[in-house]
Amino acid sequence: QLKEALKIVEEKCVEEETAQEAVASLHRLTVQYPGAHLLLAEVFLMGASAVAGADEARGVACLLAFLESQAYPEVQDPVVEEVTAHLPNLSHSALARLAQRLVAAAVHHNSLRGFAVLGYLLEHSPGAEEGPVVSMLADVLKEARRGKVENESLVTRLRETEAEVADLRSALRHAEEDAAAQQDLANSLRAERERRMEYKSAMEDLVNDMQDQQQANQIQAQALRQLRQEAASSLSRCSELKKDLEAERELNQRLTVRNCELTEQLHQQELAASREDPLSTRRHSEAGGI
């Protein structure tokens, strides 16, 4: 039955009999299913019924009936908000008819107490709706409602502002983290540049050392060439001296041989002379001894 009633409501109940059947079905279901009060309220507030049309007072009465059932605690507050949004639009006679329901609901929901007092005055004080007290109370309730709406709007704006501030803080934190990361990167680049400068300086020193070593090697090579030249010259002189020594040795040998030959000839002559003249030989020997 609930599904059929919902289907009829969704189709806007274009036929009178169908509309009456849907409304009657929802009324019967409210005994077993308190949530049906919300469906009836939707029908009257939105004008889904072709017979009843939009009836704000009956819609509020359905919402108050749901609050009286105290069913579904998780949706009680949104329903109260919906009731307080429609109450300022109701006539004094409608508020008087809803007085008992408003008082019963105000016991559990403080935001309905003002309208409950107004409804109670209208119901129990004939002609009070034309008096200044009811008018002032109605104005106060409307102002309170307007203030509450504005307060909710301010709260919403405040939450949005807090969310924006949180986003800004998060963005600032990310910016600080990015700045710190960039600073670390800059420090790393600076350290890398310093290392490269040190490496460049070391390379320059190495190049200078290599150049100095190359110059020293050139000097050593030149000295070696000079030594080689001197050695070659010395070898040449040694070779010449060797040749001279060999020539001198050969000459000495020839002289020695020649001296031996002359000595032998002289000895032979002396022997020959001694045979011919012993005295002259003796004289010659004495002369030779002297």
Side-chain angles (χ1 to χ4, degrees), residues 192-209:
E192 181 65 22
R193 184 174 60 185
E194 291 177 356
R195 286 194 297 270
R196 291 188 177 182
M197 292 296 294
E198 293 176 356
Y199 178 75
K200 183 178 179 181
S201 177
M203 289 297 294
E204 290 177 353
D205 294 340
L206 180 61
V207 170
N208 293 331
D209 293 341

Side-chain angles (χ1 to χ4, degrees), residues 158-288:
L158 179 61
R159 290 176 179 175
E160 292 176 352
T161 303
E162 290 177 350
E164 292 177 357
V165 171
D167 293 338
L168 289 175
R169 287 179 179 175
S170 178
L172 179 60
R173 185 171 60 255
H174 290 315
E176 291 177 350
E177 292 176 355
D178 292 340
Q182 291 179 358
Q183 184 64 34
D184 294 339
L185 180 60
N187 294 333
S188 300
L189 292 175
R190 189 179 299 109
E192 181 65 22
R193 184 174 60 185
E194 291 177 356
R195 286 194 297 270
R196 291 188 177 182
M197 292 296 294
E198 293 176 356
Y199 178 75
K200 183 178 179 181
S201 177
M203 289 297 294
E204 290 177 353
D205 294 340
L206 180 61
V207 170
N208 293 331
D209 293 341
M210 292 178 65
Q211 290 177 352
D212 294 340
Q213 185 65 33
Q214 186 177 5
Q215 292 178 357
N217 292 335
Q218 290 177 354
I219 294 173
Q220 290 180 356
Q222 185 176 1
L224 287 174
R225 285 195 297 271
Q226 186 175 358
L227 289 175
R228 287 177 180 176
Q229 292 175 358
E230 292 178 356
S233 177
S234 298
L235 289 175
S236 178
R237 287 197 299 273
C238 288
S239 178
E240 291 177 357
L241 290 173
K242 185 178 180 180
K243 291 180 179 178
D244 292 340
L245 288 174
E246 290 178 353
E248 185 177 357
R249 186 181 297 113
E250 185 178 357
L251 178 60
N252 289 332
Q253 289 177 356
R254 286 199 297 270
L255 291 174
T256 301
V257 171
R258 182 59 180 169
N259 188 20
C260 291
E261 291 177 353
L262 291 176
T263 302
E264 182 66 24
Q265 290 178 3
L266 181 61
H267 182 67
Q268 292 295 331
Q269 291 176 1
E270 288 177 352
L271 289 176
S274 62
R275 292 189 188 101
E276 294 176 0
D277 187 2
L279 181 60
S280 60
T281 302
R282 185 174 57 84
R283 292 177 179 173
H284 181 75
S285 298
E286 291 177 357

Side-chain angles (χ1 to χ4, degrees), residues 12-243:
K12 295 294 183 179
C13 304
V14 294
E15 296 181 1
E16 182 178 352
E17 294 181 359
T18 306
Q20 292 177 352
E21 180 182 354
V23 173
S25 297
L26 290 175
H27 274 295
R28 289 193 300 271
L29 291 171
T30 56
V31 178
Q32 187 176 0
Y33 301 104
H37 289 294
L38 299 179
L39 297 177
L40 276 174
E42 186 73 13
V43 170
F44 293 126
L45 292 175
M46 301 302 295
S49 173
V51 178
D55 191 340
E56 199 168 10
R58 293 182 68 180
V60 172
C62 293
L63 294 176
L64 291 173
F66 174 79
L67 293 176
E68 288 179 12
S69 68
Q70 297 184 8
Y72 309 106
E74 65 275 9
V75 297
Q76 290 283 315
D77 292 338
V79 173
V80 171
E81 292 293 328
E82 189 70 18
V83 171
T84 55
H86 290 284
L87 284 176
N89 302 329
L90 300 182
S91 63
H92 289 172
S93 60
L95 289 174
R97 292 193 302 271
L98 296 173
Q100 293 182 359
R101 289 184 180 276
L102 285 171
V103 171
V107 174
H108 303 286
H109 305 284
N110 295 335
S111 59
L112 298 177
R113 289 181 178 180
F115 288 101
V117 172
L118 179 60
Y120 183 84
L121 289 175
L122 292 171
E123 182 183 16
H124 294 87
S125 300
E129 60 181 359
E130 297 178 358
V133 176
V134 172
S135 178
M136 286 189 294
L137 183 56
D139 292 339
V140 169
L141 292 174
K142 289 181 180 179
E143 289 295 331
R145 175 61 185 173
R146 188 179 300 110
K148 185 177 181 181
V149 172
E150 292 178 356
N151 185 36
E152 291 176 351
S153 177
L154 289 175
V155 170
T156 302
R157 292 180 182 177
L158 179 61
R159 290 176 179 175
E160 292 176 352
T161 303
E162 290 177 350
E164 292 177 357
V165 171
D167 293 338
L168 289 175
R169 287 179 179 175
S170 178
L172 179 60
R173 185 171 60 255
H174 290 315
E176 291 177 350
E177 292 176 355
D178 292 340
Q182 291 179 358
Q183 184 64 34
D184 294 339
L185 180 60
N187 294 333
S188 300
L189 292 175
R190 189 179 299 109
E192 181 65 22
R193 184 174 60 185
E194 291 177 356
R195 286 194 297 270
R196 291 188 177 182
M197 292 296 294
E198 293 176 356
Y199 178 75
K200 183 178 179 181
S201 177
M203 289 297 294
E204 290 177 353
D205 294 340
L206 180 61
V207 170
N208 293 331
D209 293 341
M210 292 178 65
Q211 290 177 352
D212 294 340
Q213 185 65 33
Q214 186 177 5
Q215 292 178 357
N217 292 335
Q218 290 177 354
I219 294 173
Q220 290 180 356
Q222 185 176 1
L224 287 174
R225 285 195 297 271
Q226 186 175 358
L227 289 175
R228 287 177 180 176
Q229 292 175 358
E230 292 178 356
S233 177
S234 298
L235 289 175
S236 178
R237 287 197 299 273
C238 288
S239 178
E240 291 177 357
L241 290 173
K242 185 178 180 180
K243 291 180 179 178

